[in-house]
Amino acid sequence: MGGEPILSCPQEAGIVFLSQELIAALLACSFFCLFPEVGRRLKHLQGINFDELFSSLYTRQCMKQESKIRCIVHYFERVCQCMPRGFVSFERKVLPLEYNPNYVSYPEAEYWAKSTTPLCSVQVHSTGVIEDQPGETLEVEFADEYFGGLTLRHGCLQEEIRFMMNPELIAGMLFLPRMDKNEAIEIVGAERFTLYTGFGSSFQFAGDYLNNKELERYMRRRTRVVAIDAIPRPGRRQYKPDGLLREVNKAFTGYLHQCKHQAGTLPSSASGSQVVECSERLCIDHEEKKIGVATGNWGCGVFGGDPEVKIMLQWLTISQSGRPFMSYYTFGLQALQNVNQVCKK
């Protein structure tokens, strides 16, 4: 890679392309704990080595930790048998806090109150999971403000499980610092390698998964994941104007597609590039506004959010961002058993 390390700076929109081969090398370094960790927290970065994951094997919840390591080992077995030749992009999405005539800025409450945008169509699923949504959608990852959450420690909820299915996501933890209220992270091209069962302490590795999604023109698989972090333990704040505005704008940041300051030579099938950093104006993914969103109970569960509030906020933001539909997975939550009727009305 040479020179200064890649670092996605806070409040700076931009996109980085990594080849899948380079990601495999980076994850091998993480697995053998070769990265220096000193000073990472000062830069608001996660730990990237696997030492805490290995040490957590000795806790009482060792089954899920063993399964997480099995997912990683399986990933290495697959890439050693046949190294993927595609690319994965990591994009930091930012809604400017100050008004900018060239971009959609961070909205105030009046923006939402005066919106006349029609609501998009809604598909509600009481069974199934986001990652199995058919076709190409923007799949929501219920993130921690630190990208990856507790993936390399004891965590095993929606975010951490997603990183085990698609281990290439872990590479982003190397250079993506903490997200602020007006930031989100979108990843395109991360390949899925494993099946799983369970959730939390019952999580288990369940075998190989062959990802048949085709490559697009930038040699990325048509898998789109967006990481957005909700307010943890919001309590009554989630019903008040400032809490509602924070959550609706956070989701809007993730779902909105606007051309960023991007640059450099984008990868193609003929490119031998390992890393491409973009910072000059160049719009890619022209078809993205035609892609809907697959989501669920974002910010609920251990975060303590109200699912009835969260589904409505997400419906508003997906509609406002120009997406054609919302595919919502309730995971069988009792509080949302009648949400289909509410949406129709």
Side-chain angles (χ1 to χ4, degrees):
M1 294 164 63
E4 291 295 318
I6 301 169
L7 183 63
S8 170
C9 297
Q11 300 301 322
E12 289 187 10
I15 187 167
V16 173
F17 281 75
L18 302 180
S19 72
Q20 289 182 276
E21 184 176 4
L22 176 57
I23 289 175
L26 294 173
L27 295 189
C29 291
S30 294
F31 188 85
F32 289 109
C33 306
L34 300 180
F35 286 112
E37 295 277 10
V38 177
R40 286 185 62 81
R41 270 294 176 179
L42 294 176
K43 296 177 181 178
H44 302 291
L45 291 164
Q46 286 261 55
I48 188 61
N49 290 323
F50 280 50
D51 50 333
E52 287 194 52
L53 181 58
F54 293 140
S55 65
S56 65
L57 286 171
Y58 297 96
T59 67
R60 287 177 296 176
Q61 295 181 330
C62 62
M63 184 184 73
K64 68 174 184 180
Q65 301 302 92
E66 289 176 4
S67 289
K68 287 170 72 174
I69 292 174
R70 286 188 68 187
C71 291
I72 299 298
V73 171
H74 177 71
Y75 160 76
F76 283 124
E77 290 173 342
R78 281 278 307 274
V79 297
C80 287
Q81 290 170 3
C82 181
M83 182 61 68
R85 298 300 178 188
F87 284 80
V88 181
S89 66
F90 297 82
E91 180 183 6
R92 192 173 198 87
K93 306 176 78 169
V94 181
L95 278 186
L97 294 174
E98 296 182 0
Y99 175 74
N100 185 325
N102 299 316
Y103 296 99
V104 176
S105 302
Y106 192 80
E108 299 295 336
E110 186 179 17
Y111 172 88
W112 295 102
K114 292 184 175 181
S115 173
T116 57
T117 302
L119 291 169
C120 67
S121 64
V122 180
Q123 306 156 6
V124 179
H125 312 275
S126 58
T127 60
V129 287
I130 292 170
E131 62 268 17
D132 290 338
Q133 167 77 19
E136 187 176 6
T137 57
L138 186 62
E139 301 170 9
V140 180
E141 189 253 285
F142 309 158
D144 184 85
E145 61 180 350
Y146 285 91
F147 184 66
L150 299 175
T151 295
L152 299 183
R153 285 180 276 174
H154 60 273
C156 207
L157 300 179
Q158 196 257 15
E159 179 171 33
E160 292 83 11
I161 291 174
R162 186 74 208 227
F163 276 58
M164 291 299 103
M165 290 188 293
N166 304 65
E168 291 165 332
L169 294 172
I170 297 172
M173 295 170 65
L174 178 64
F175 58 88
L176 291 167
R178 179 181 62 84
M179 289 182 279
D180 206 342
K181 66 177 183 179
N182 62 326
E183 297 178 313
I185 294 168
E186 183 173 339
I187 310 94
V188 181
E191 187 171 348
R192 181 178 174 183
F193 290 87
T194 63
L195 295 168
Y196 75 95
T197 60
F199 188 83
S201 60
S202 65
F203 172 77
Q204 286 188 294
F205 170 79
D208 186 41
Y209 179 89
L210 292 177
N211 193 325
N212 294 318
K213 290 191 175 181
E214 62 182 11
L215 301 178
E216 40 89 282
R217 61 175 176 160
Y218 298 121
M219 296 297 291
R220 301 174 297 179
R221 288 195 180 273
R222 294 186 180 275
T223 300
R224 298 173 180 271
V225 177
V226 65
I228 50 174
D229 57 301
I231 302 172
R233 298 171 294 280
R236 294 182 178 276
R237 182 190 173 194
Q238 65 185 309
Y239 306 112
K240 295 180 179 180
D242 76 304
L244 292 168
L245 185 63
R246 190 276 181 193
E247 297 296 74
V248 77
N249 283 346
K250 168 62 74 166
F252 190 47
T253 304
Y255 303 153
L256 182 69
H257 174 61
Q258 55 178 326
C259 295
K260 297 292 189 289
H261 290 284
Q262 300 171 336
T265 306
L266 290 171
S268 67
S269 58
S271 172
S273 301
Q274 291 282 311
V275 182
V276 182
E277 296 180 80
C278 300
S279 58
E280 167 192 314
R281 181 181 297 276
L282 178 65
C283 191
I284 64 173
D285 287 339
H286 298 282
E287 302 297 314
E288 186 167 334
K289 286 191 71 172
K290 299 178 182 179
I291 297 171
V293 177
T295 187
N297 308 324
W298 169 60
C300 304
V302 296
F303 267 46
D306 185 333
E308 294 177 90
V309 172
K310 285 297 196 295
I311 186 173
M312 293 302 160
L313 290 182
Q314 290 189 86
W315 192 9
L316 292 177
T317 56
I318 291 168
S319 303
Q320 190 68 27
S321 63
R323 303 279 180 175
F325 67 86
M326 175 176 74
S327 187
Y328 195 95
Y329 291 83
T330 68
F331 306 108
L333 196 64
Q334 190 71 16
L336 297 179
Q337 61 178 335
N338 297 320
V339 73
N340 220 350
Q341 299 172 33
V342 174
C343 291
K344 287 179 180 178
K345 289 182 180 180

